[in-house]
Amino acid sequence: MPSGVTRATLRHMTYFPPPAEELRFLDSELRQLDARRAQLLARRAWLITMLQQAVQPAPPVWPSRPAQPGPSARPEATAPGVQNVLLLLGGILLTIAAMVFTLVSWGHLGIAGRSLVLGAVTLAVLGAPVALLRRGLRSTAESVAGLGLALTVLDAYALHEVVFTAADAATYAAAASTALAALWSAYGTALAALPGSATLRLPHPAALAVAQLPLVLWTAALGGGPLTVTAAVLLTTAFDAVVALRVSERPVRVVAQVCAFGTGGWGVLAAGLLSLGAAGPSAAARAAALLLLAAVIALGVARFAPRPGLATGMATTAALCAVAGAAGVLRVSVPGDWAVPACLACGIALLAAARGPAAVRRGVVLASGVVQAGAVLWAVPAVGVTLLGPVAWLRHIWAGAPVDARAAVTVDAFWPPYAVTVPLVLLAVAAVLATAVRGEERRPQALTAALTLSWAAVLVTATALELPYLVGLLIQGLTVPALLAPALQKSALQGSALRGAAARTATGLALLTSLGLAFLSLATEPATLGVLASLTVAFAVAAWRGRQAPVCAAAALGWATALACAVGASAGWRPEIVALLVLVVPVAAALLAARLDDSVTTVTLEVTGAVAGFVAIALTVADPPLLALVLSLCGVIAAGTAVRPDRRDVGYAAVALFVLASWVRLAAWQVGLPEAYTLPVTVPALLVGALRRRRDPAASSWTAYGPGLTVTLLPSLATAWSDAAWTRPLLLGAAGLLLTLLGARHRLRAPLVLGGSVLALVTLHELAPYLVQVTDALPRWVPPALAGLLLLALGATYEQRLRDVRRVREVLGRMN
């Protein structure tokens, strides 16, 4: 480089390509790098594949893509699982062999010799886990330790057969179980204390499992009775509970929990059976003491339970055990009628005794709810008999007033024993629900349940106390308007969903009460009339002033129908005459429905009125003239309803009722002419068709006139073919001719086709005998000849006939 060229001059002389050219250069270099990288990766994959092939390597081929390895066989069992299964089976087989060796006479060794051999083997087996643990074979050590523990049981049996042959079986079993529990626990502790060895999981749980037996067996060996044995079981439960709560070793804790639940359930069940079987206060008190012990244990577990769910469950169990103990004492101390109220008082008292953590309080409240629910279930049979028992009066209508209210509901049923205090129990639970439940979410449900229980208490009061029959009627009669009273406060209810739910519930209960009251009133005629009239008025007022208008209106019309039937029966009228009185209900329903603005209430009134109409029709089935009259009156009611713009479809029902009425009247007159039955249908159908075509000129004549004409023409035609007289065919033919002419005049397809078809068939029917005579008079060759001539004529004029057919089809097509 010349010395005169400076660094700045070189900087200006350096070549920089344009950005587009430099970008193309960079893209080219990157593509080359990507291609080289892909080649290297493919070569690497091929080399790996070659190394994995141990036998007969494939010839070196440069693969275009890396080979995908095939799916390898997956083992169905893991190595630790196989190991544990083998060790478990080995331990079981060795234990069985040891049992056979000890229990069965084998060889020349006696029981003493076998005991010595078994003891030596036991010591060797119990010592083997030490060496196995030091070598890290923990699973094998567990299996060998389990075998050693099983051998100690066989050693205990051998000692009884060799040394302690005269010992009592129960005493020896208690001593052996105590010794085994202590030995196994010490064995597990000793193995854990050895330096350099891991702790075995089997000895301590096994010792705890055997520890369930000593206290119970010692109690039985010392001559303890069922109370003492149950106490021993509960004390064992307490021991298990302490171990489960305090021991940190998981296997021991799990076994302790299982044993605690098992022995606890056994103890509580045994104590409960002792309480139920107690014949006196002292025996009941001792059983109650056992249940109280179980309650203390459960409460202690609830107090120190690590999980809230367990604490709640144990608190519930404790409270229920305490109530069960108190109930056992009360059962033998108070009269039978007051046993359940006393138990209920104990359950309610639990609400005041709910103290401690939230989980414990929740459990105690739950136990109180269980007790109250049990008391309500105890009262359900009495309420059911009171509500459903009066249905039996349907078979004994107006047979006479019963002795009292209980006799009135037990006509074909029985009264549950000790049910005098049912009203008190129901009212107590209702009061608790109304006052104790404060949550916003559960408050509506609680108030609804309280209302239902209060209703049941009032309903069953007269029956439980055996009040006079009239008093029972009066109580239930006053209950109905009392339940309907919340529905009358329309303005107050609209702003409160809670009150609305209460009003709906009260209305439903009022309906149930009215049903039971109506059945109960069937004992005497005055009671029936008075009750049905009162129910009609009560529900009518509720429908007029209340919010539950649809339900109350339907109930009022229903009871009005029943009242009409009862009034007719009281007057001695025949059912056919009573039907005319029942028709007042559909008339009232139709008039009221036309004046209401509420669509739901309107539909309810119309449906109930229709049901009342069906009742009236059913009452007149045995008298055809009155049946026709009732059908006609129902048709008038339906026609009056169809006048309303939104009920035009009811007109079809009105027409059907009128037609049925005419048919029934004709049948009553013994009219056998089919036209008398079909013409009343044809004439209205044709009028309706004419009105429809006037409103819609594009409507087809088949739709407008086809049904009406078919109803009369087809039955008449079928009758004419079997009629030997000439009057019906003549009239039917004239009608067919008239229809054909009218169809041709007005270009209507349905009258033209139907009239022409009828005319042709009637003519064929009338000329058939003459055709038969002509056929018999002609020679045999004449019919085939005539048929041939006809075919020739048709063939000769085929084109003309086709033109005529097309012309007729076009003419018919232009007709409406």
Side-chain angles (χ1 to χ4, degrees), residues 318-320 322-323 345-355 364-365 367-369 371:
L320 291 177
V323 172
C346 296
I348 295 175
L350 291 176
L351 296 176
R355 296 291 186 272
V364 175
V365 172
S368 177
V371 175

Side-chain angles (χ1 to χ4, degrees), residues 601-631:
T601 307
T602 301
V603 173
T604 304
L605 287 174
E606 292 172 347
V607 171
T608 310
V611 173
F614 283 120
V615 172
I617 293 172
L619 290 174
T620 57
V621 170
D623 192 343
L626 282 178
L627 176 59
L629 176 60
V630 169
L631 288 171

Side-chain angles (χ1 to χ4, degrees), residues 34 38 139 188 295 324 329 412 422 461 470 482 517 525 542 572 681 757 770 773 805:
D34 291 339
S139 299
V329 176
D412 293 334
V422 167
T461 298
L470 294 179
L517 179 60
E525 180 180 345
V681 179
S757 300
Y770 302 101
Q773 293 178 3
V805 169

Side-chain angles (χ1 to χ4, degrees), residues 713-725 728-729 732 757-766 768:
L713 292 177
L714 292 183
S716 298
L717 183 61
T719 307
W721 274 76
S722 61
D723 192 357
R728 177 177 282 106
L732 185 59
S757 300
V758 170
L759 179 60
L761 291 174
V762 170
T763 304
L764 179 63
H765 174 265
E766 293 300 317

Side-chain angles (χ1 to χ4, degrees), residues 733-801:
L737 178 60
L738 179 61
L739 288 175
T740 304
L741 295 176
L742 289 175
R745 172 67 178 82
H746 297 284
R747 296 184 178 182
L748 298 177
R749 186 179 301 177
L752 179 62
V753 174
L754 290 176
S757 300
V758 170
L759 179 60
L761 291 174
V762 170
T763 304
L764 179 63
H765 174 265
E766 293 300 317
L767 295 178
Y770 302 101
L771 294 176
V772 172
Q773 293 178 3
V774 172
T775 303
D776 292 337
L778 292 176
R780 298 300 182 107
W781 55 269
V782 173
L786 293 176
L789 291 175
L790 178 63
L791 292 176
L792 289 176
L794 291 176
T797 59
Y798 183 75
E799 183 177 0
Q800 182 65 31
R801 298 300 180 188

Side-chain angles (χ1 to χ4, degrees), residues 1 16 68 126 130 174 196 261 306 325 385 389 401 509 708 787 809:
M1 179 183 302
F16 293 99
Q68 298 292 335
L126 291 176
V130 178
F261 282 111
V385 171
L509 296 177
R809 186 166 53 192

Side-chain angles (χ1 to χ4, degrees), residues 394-407:
L394 288 172
R395 298 190 299 175
H396 312 282
I397 296 177
W398 296 348
V403 178
D404 51 35
R406 182 177 297 183

Side-chain angles (χ1 to χ4, degrees), residues 152-534:
T152 56
V153 179
L154 298 177
D155 289 335
Y157 171 77
L159 286 177
H160 180 267
E161 294 296 325
V162 175
V163 181
F164 304 104
T165 55
D168 179 62
T171 305
Y172 185 79
S177 61
T178 305
L180 288 176
L183 176 63
W184 292 0
S185 179
Y187 177 67
T189 305
L191 289 179
L194 292 176
S197 62
T199 304
L200 292 182
R201 292 174 291 184
L202 182 61
H204 284 155
L208 181 60
V210 176
Q212 309 302 309
L213 303 176
L215 190 57
V216 178
L217 292 177
W218 278 116
T219 303
L222 296 177
L227 288 170
T228 311
V229 173
T230 304
V233 172
L234 291 175
L235 291 176
T236 305
T237 303
F239 168 73
D240 295 334
V242 172
V243 173
L245 292 174
R246 295 301 180 185
V247 175
S248 59
E249 191 175 348
R250 188 175 183 276
V252 178
R253 188 170 66 252
V254 171
V255 173
Q257 292 174 357
V258 174
C259 293
F261 282 111
T263 56
W266 176 17
V268 171
L269 179 61
L273 294 177
L274 290 173
S275 179
L276 289 176
S282 59
R286 289 192 293 270
L290 293 177
L291 289 171
L292 185 61
L293 175 61
V296 171
I297 296 172
L299 190 60
V301 174
R303 181 65 179 82
F304 297 100
R307 297 189 301 274
L310 179 61
T312 301
M314 289 294 102
T316 303
T317 303
L320 291 177
C321 288
V323 172
V329 176
L330 293 172
R331 182 181 61 85
V332 297
S333 303
V334 300
D337 292 329
W338 293 94
V340 174
C343 297
L344 178 61
C346 296
I348 295 175
L350 291 176
L351 296 176
R355 296 291 186 272
V360 176
R361 294 197 306 271
R362 192 181 308 114
V364 175
V365 172
L366 180 60
S368 177
V370 171
V371 175
Q372 296 178 57
V376 171
L377 289 177
W378 170 79
V380 165
V383 178
V385 171
T386 303
L387 190 61
L388 301 178
V391 178
W393 283 106
L394 288 172
R395 298 190 299 175
H396 312 282
I397 296 177
W398 296 348
V403 178
D404 51 35
R406 182 177 297 183
V409 302
T410 55
V411 178
D412 293 334
F414 68 94
W415 183 251
Y418 306 115
V420 177
T421 54
V422 167
L424 178 62
V425 169
L426 295 174
L427 286 176
V429 178
V432 172
L433 289 173
T435 58
V437 180
R438 297 295 183 184
E440 295 182 359
E441 296 181 358
R442 299 183 180 180
R443 180 70 175 171
Q445 292 83 354
L447 291 179
T448 302
L451 176 61
T452 305
L453 293 176
S454 301
W455 162 79
V458 174
L459 184 71
V460 81
T461 298
T463 308
L465 300 180
E466 296 182 276
L467 298 178
Y469 170 69
L470 294 179
V471 175
L473 284 178
L474 182 61
I475 291 176
Q476 293 194 24
L478 294 176
T479 302
V480 174
L483 290 171
L484 293 176
L488 297 177
Q489 302 174 2
K490 187 172 183 180
S491 59
L493 290 175
Q494 288 177 348
S496 175
L498 178 59
R499 293 182 180 179
R504 290 190 294 270
T505 304
T507 304
L509 296 177
L511 288 175
L512 288 178
T513 308
S514 64
L515 287 173
L517 179 60
F519 288 127
L520 193 63
S521 67
L522 294 177
T524 62
E525 180 180 345
T528 303
L529 296 176
V531 165
L532 292 179
S534 301

